Amino acid sequence: MHHATRLLLGAAAALCLSAPALAQTTLTVSTWGGPNHGVNTIVWPTWKAWIEEATEGRVTLDVVHDMGPPASQMDIVADGIADASWIFHAHMAGRFLATQLPEFPTFETFSSEDASAAYWHTHREHLAQADEHRGVDVVAMGVHGPGQVFTRDAVADLDGLAGLRLRVGGGVMSGLAEALGVTGVALPPTGVYEATSQGVVDGAMLTLESLRSFRVAEVAPHTLTVDGGFYRGSFAIVVNPMFWERVSAEDRQAIESVSGEHLSRLFGYMMDVSDERGVAFGEEQGQATQALDEAGIARLQEITAELIATWSADVAERGIESEVALEHFHEQLARAAEAEGIAARVVAH
């Protein structure tokens, strides 16, 4: 064989081998959590692996940091600046109401993984009709762990919270803070350490993961807790509808097969792991924990009932039957707890 012929065949072979890579479609994800946040170390790497496996490598995922602040993520995706992102519904006051469903105190302990799976099914069956995510496609719903109260000084009961300045993040926790006589201060979790250390706030309503991830244990060494949390937080993972035009119908179906309940469970699993790490860090720092007493629980139950009644009236205007939706959510919680968990399929920790 002539040398020139061998070179020509070799070039053709190289072109064939590189063709799949050239044809690969990338799902660009905007993320607003810090590099060490569980969404970046657990959720995105695992979803990427699932997508690549499901599409046989035709679609991959790329994460881009700092494309915009948390409250802008919905617009970033809707405008096509990124293909996907994760959003915290309370960051967009007024737009989202139906999504407050999993945020109310439940006075029972359950995992964020189970809650996220239950939330996904409840959203599809009862909440999506409110059309609050218009402009984007929802591929997963998520719930963070039990929100508790962290303070600089010890607080024994609900009366001790009255008059305190606490960080709040919107949604149900804002209504709860007002009912408790707390002065709510709107701050991102990343601002709690500095604000508390400087005396700008007396503490924060946050998740257990924040003890470690946002160094809350170092500035607010006291925790007031209630089973299931004073509140939960609602999230969604969303995709720009135009992204689907860049992939085949087969690959869209493949991506959706590893999203939905699977991706929702993955998000909740990440929150559970992050909370466990936060609690362990708090214990190392000497975090003191006080459980809410029976009188406090009874009062919190009354406040919760009032908050749910107000919410029910609000979402009725958006076509949501609140009692039916809440009942469905709790039915799905029980079902999710009996199902197989996601841990065995997680590829990154």
Side-chain angles (χ1 to χ4, degrees):
M1 183 181 294
H2 293 296
H3 179 66
T5 304
R6 286 198 300 269
L7 288 176
L8 185 61
L9 291 174
L15 182 61
C16 291
L17 287 173
S18 65
L22 292 173
Q24 190 177 52
T25 300
T26 299
L27 176 70
T28 301
V29 174
S30 167
T31 191
W32 46 271
N36 295 322
H37 192 286
V39 75
N40 298 317
T41 61
I42 296 176
V43 175
W44 303 138
T46 298
W47 195 32
K48 175 181 180 178
W50 290 354
I51 288 174
E52 291 178 344
E53 179 182 7
T55 63
E56 298 180 336
R58 292 183 295 274
V59 183
T60 188
L61 183 152
D62 181 48
V63 178
V64 180
H65 293 259
D66 302 321
M67 294 183 75
S72 70
Q73 296 302 308
M74 186 85 168
D75 291 335
I76 285 174
V77 175
D79 293 342
I81 300 170
D83 298 318
S85 186
W86 59 306
I87 61 173
F88 182 53
H89 294 112
H91 283 151
M92 290 160 278
R95 174 160 189 168
F96 295 100
L97 287 176
T99 57
Q100 291 181 10
L101 179 143
E103 295 186 359
F104 297 104
T106 58
F107 307 96
E108 59 178 315
T109 301
F110 49 82
S111 72
S112 296
E113 178 181 338
D114 291 343
S116 296
Y119 188 22
W120 166 254
H121 291 291
T122 305
H123 170 74
R124 283 174 60 93
E125 291 293 326
H126 298 284
L127 307 181
Q129 65 195 45
D131 197 26
E132 294 177 339
H133 296 87
R134 55 192 173 278
V136 298
D137 289 344
V138 178
V139 294
M141 301 297 283
V143 178
H144 73 43
Q148 310 292 9
V149 179
F150 307 101
T151 54
R152 289 190 300 167
D153 300 318
V155 174
D157 50 37
L158 294 184
D159 289 337
L161 296 176
L164 294 185
R165 292 173 57 83
L166 299 179
R167 174 269 175 186
V168 298
V172 167
M173 78 174 96
S174 293
L176 180 62
E178 182 179 354
L180 293 173
V182 166
T183 299
V185 180
L187 278 175
T190 50
V192 170
Y193 178 88
E194 181 177 3
T196 307
S197 63
Q198 294 180 355
V200 175
V201 296
D202 301 302
M205 288 184 169
L206 270 173
T207 57
L208 294 167
E209 70 149 321
S210 68
L211 290 169
R212 174 177 177 265
S213 58
F214 303 116
R215 300 173 62 191
V216 171
E218 299 175 32
V219 292
H222 299 276
T223 306
L224 185 64
T225 68
V226 64
D227 286 347
F230 283 87
Y231 68 95
R232 294 264 178 162
S234 169
F235 298 81
I237 295 177
V238 297
V239 171
N240 185 301
M242 291 186 293
F243 171 77
W244 304 121
E245 298 175 6
R246 293 170 24 215
V247 300
S248 66
E250 177 187 3
D251 283 341
R252 175 175 180 169
Q253 184 177 13
I255 294 168
E256 290 177 337
S257 75
V258 294
S259 303
E261 179 179 345
H262 301 290
L263 184 55
S264 299
R265 276 190 174 275
L266 176 63
F267 188 92
Y269 168 88
M270 174 272 293
M271 287 295 184
D272 289 330
V273 170
S274 299
D275 279 351
E276 290 171 4
R277 292 172 179 171
V279 170
F281 180 79
E283 291 176 349
E284 293 173 2
Q285 298 292 313
Q287 192 79 12
T289 300
Q290 171 73 47
L292 191 63
D293 58 21
E294 291 186 6
I297 291 174
R299 182 179 168 199
L300 185 59
Q301 288 173 330
E302 292 177 0
I303 292 172
T304 300
E306 294 172 0
L307 291 174
I308 291 177
T310 300
W311 171 77
S312 296
D314 290 338
V315 297
E317 298 178 3
R318 301 190 179 189
I320 304 298
E321 295 183 59
S322 61
E323 290 186 8
V324 176
L326 282 165
E327 183 178 358
H328 185 84
F329 176 66
H330 287 280
E331 289 174 354
Q332 290 297 318
L333 259 180
R335 182 173 298 179
E338 297 174 355
E340 184 178 357
I342 206 74
R345 297 186 59 203
V346 178
V347 302
H349 296 273

